[in-house]
Amino acid sequence: MRIGLFVACVTDSLFPATARATLHLLERLGHQVLFPQGQTCCGQVHHTSGYRREAMTLAARFADVFSGCDLVVTPSASCAAMVRRAYPRFATRDPAVARAPRVLELTEFLVDVADTVDVGAYFPYRVTYQPTCQAPRSPRGDERPLRLLRAVRGLELVELPRAGECCGFGGAFAWKNADTSVAIVADRLRDIGQSGAEVVCASDDACLTQISGALSRLRGAVRALHIAEVLAATEAGPAPAGGR
Amino acid sequence: MPRPTHQRLPWAQLLRRGAERRPPGPPRFADVARETLEDTRSRRLRAEAGARLRARRARGRAEEPAWEAMRAEAGEARERALADLEHHLLSFEKAAETRGTRVHWARDPAEVRGIVTDLVVGTGARDAVLTSSATLRETGVARALAGAGVRPHESALADLIAALADDPPTAESRASGRHDRARARETLLRHLPGAPSDLPDDPVVLVEAARDHLRDRLLETAVAITGANFLVAETGSVVLMETEGNARMAATSADTLIVVAGIDKIVASRSDLGVLLRTWSRSATGDPLVPVVTEWGGPDRDGDGPRDVHVVLVDAGRSRALAAPAGRDALRCVHCTACLDVCPVFERVGARPYGSVRPGPIGAALTPLLEGTATARTASLPFASTLCGACADVCPVGVDVPEVLLELRARVVDERRANPVPTPESVAMRSAEWVLGDERRYAAAQATAIRWARLLARAGRIRRLPGLLGRWTEARDLPAPPTEPFRAWWRRRRAADGR
């Protein structure tokens, strides 16, 4: 099976450690992963901002770049959701989009396809998980990330109050409605504080940009990490100490 | 003190000038939200009320093992009604008139006001009781009656308090969180005839005081004006669902009942009604069925109810909305308000920024569908969502609100494409499309952006971004991007491996 890795633009530029962790993790579990170098963007930013025409052009390009893969894995839940939810609609107008292979978010791939819950990770910290609203299937009740985290040695998983709630990022929303977006994340930081976690992780760097951005401004004592970084950490190769 | 870097850059000034350009008309969502966020008391009340209602509904749904199947069935019932709306409306008119109900058609709010005012004035009544209804608020019936010399009396507790306080009819009061007990006491004290000055702020006593006041009005009234939850095409009957029971009481004691209802309220048959009553109740209050459900079959011939029954069918943008698939999805809405209480945006900002009688996620979808997207306010509504999807998860009739909002966003952007001068955002988005259309262009732009971003950073953090991007750093940092993006690392590693 040819597995392609798709790295979202936010991850590629701001959080390359997420992509490296994803790659290390998949390779450690014995999967061979391709990184088609023509890849740029799935079109999500354009799509959610209302620029559908531009999004469709990028979708057609995405489909073409990954057409040689049987399956695509990405550490971005919202990009996976974009391909799964919007592309079929685009494909009715542009058949080129229909060539896009199946795209799975990392934890989905691990649990559903690779059938692995214990990935052999070691991460001796107290961790909470922020569900990603835009995960391909509803995050409320999505147990996959939690199952993976529970199997990590040394990790103490603590519950996040009001578990299903959004972090307030929402792409363009974070700019167009900056005040509301900040009001939402302010309450989220309170929840994270209440959980007692020292690390908050999520399945999407977009959520983490929001949470870590607010934490950083407030000099909060919590690290924000992508779940791939947690799962990639082992006794031999711990996660970078700095976080984000 | 050194000036921030971006103020020295002319292009940043250009970007900012663009951002300050405002389309005409009422204020955008974000502008009003900035104000309502200041009202911390209301925010707290909404958060508490939201948590309570979410818990009640969760308990209610847990009592319905076949909830998902019920939702699907309810959604299909709504879809059936809207797919063949014209036919069902004509059936409704025929069945209703056979039973002696008079049916009126109104194209817009002005026609509604004209029809209702004429009907009320025609009865000679000087007073009319209005029950809580978004359609009544939408069409401005109360004010029109007052203008024609008829005193309108609000019958729902929250509406009564809002009316006494002379609040603009902007929102569903129950959900607006604008009246806590202290404010309610103050309002009742000031405006309620005969309210004792030692009125405590105990909700039970306040409700009792308002109820004494209301009861007299309800029993005396000759004219009752209500909305409707459903109009049954098969039987020509009107279904009303309430928690307080004011509408049933007012309509029973009145001689004339006037029902004002959107054409979208149609259901095809009584057999479709059962699942809708049930899913609506579970979604509105969590109960198996709300306390008071009334079905009006027409004028009463035994003298025990209204002798004259009128139904005013309101279009007001609905047929226009129905012309698009997104409109047909959104108009399935049965106005249960479940989506309001799960929405992270509504919980923070309340009803006012939506600037319409329909707040919350479904309001952000319905208002631009009904009113169009020509004003700054209506064009901003589709963007007033994080698209988190909590609304779609709880909707009892399966409205995919985020999909409708995405459709409307595309509509807003497409309408602006015709403008001779593109917005800075549109220039940025179209440039981004060109850059992302080729991996070499992308890598080059990325390298430049990383260089600039690292210049803006201090100790690994960017605290101030220029131009349009600056909204992010008003309250959040951005990490300085590492010098090597993932794709460059991948190339380096592959070269090292000799692959």
Side-chain angles (χ1 to χ4, degrees), chain B residues 114-238:
Chain B
I115 292 167
V116 175
T117 310
D118 287 351
L119 286 172
V120 177
V121 170
T123 66
R126 311 292 301 162
D127 297 87
V129 166
L130 275 70
T131 65
S132 183
S133 151
T135 312
L136 286 179
R137 281 190 293 274
E138 171 193 351
T139 49
V141 166
R143 266 161 216 259
L145 287 176
V150 177
R151 275 188 302 270
H153 301 282
E154 298 290 346
S155 74
L157 181 59
D159 290 343
L160 170 74
I161 293 169
L164 289 173
D166 203 24
D167 270 358
T170 49
E172 296 180 28
S173 311
R174 186 189 73 74
S176 69
R178 290 170 72 184
H179 292 280
D180 57 83
R181 59 173 78 170
R183 281 190 224 176
R185 174 187 173 271
E186 215 176 285
T187 307
L188 290 177
L189 202 56
R190 204 160 344 120
H191 301 283
L192 207 60
S197 60
D198 60 348
L199 193 69
D201 71 354
D202 177 355
V204 176
V205 182
L206 289 179
V207 168
E208 206 55 52
R211 184 185 158 117
D212 286 345
H213 169 78
L214 276 173
R215 189 157 286 247
D216 296 340
R217 291 281 169 291
L218 296 182
L219 291 173
E220 284 163 10
T221 191
V223 180
I225 306 172
T226 74
N229 289 88
F230 299 107
L231 306 170
V232 187
E234 179 190 22
T235 51
S237 52
V238 175

Side-chain angles (χ1 to χ4, degrees), chain A residues 133-146:
Chain A
C133 311
Q134 318 233 344
R137 267 172 252 163
S138 168
R140 289 160 275 272
D142 182 3
E143 285 282 311
R144 292 190 204 89
L146 300 178

Side-chain angles (χ1 to χ4, degrees), chain B residues 99-101 222 251-257 296 298-310:
Chain B
R99 291 173 161 224
T101 300
T252 310
S253 30
D255 300 324
T256 303
L257 169 63
W296 294 103
D300 190 277
R301 295 182 213 289
D302 310 324
D304 196 25
R307 283 192 305 269
D308 292 308
V309 177
H310 298 268

Side-chain angles (χ1 to χ4, degrees), chain A residues 102-204:
Chain A
R102 200 162 154 235
V103 177
L104 293 177
E105 181 271 318
L106 175 63
T107 65
E108 259 186 314
F109 172 80
L110 293 173
V111 176
D112 296 359
V113 178
D115 199 19
T116 313
V117 173
D118 183 352
V119 297
Y122 170 73
F123 194 78
Y125 298 97
R126 193 181 298 152
V127 176
T128 194
Y129 178 75
Q130 156 75 45
T132 302
C133 311
Q134 318 233 344
R137 267 172 252 163
S138 168
R140 289 160 275 272
D142 182 3
E143 285 282 311
R144 292 190 204 89
L146 300 178
R147 284 174 66 194
L148 288 160
L149 290 171
R150 278 190 207 111
V152 174
R153 260 166 308 123
L155 186 148
E156 185 194 343
L157 184 65
V158 291
E159 204 179 315
L160 187 62
R162 307 186 304 137
E165 185 158 308
C166 175
C167 69
F169 177 73
F173 181 83
W175 278 267
K176 284 182 194 281
N177 286 281
D179 300 277
T180 310
S181 173
V182 168
I184 296 172
V185 79
D187 289 342
R188 213 67 191 117
L189 293 195
R190 192 193 56 208
D191 296 336
I192 293 167
Q194 269 175 14
S195 76
E198 50 196 315
V199 171
V200 54
C201 67
S203 304
D204 198 312

Side-chain angles (χ1 to χ4, degrees), chain A residues 48 140 176 187 216-217, chain B residues 348 393 409 425 461 477:
Chain A
T48 55
R140 289 160 275 272
K176 284 182 194 281
D187 289 342
S216 164
R217 176 62 56 93
Chain B
R348 297 330 179 283
D393 285 353
R409 289 179 186 192
E425 177 195 280
R461 296 178 165 97
D477 289 346

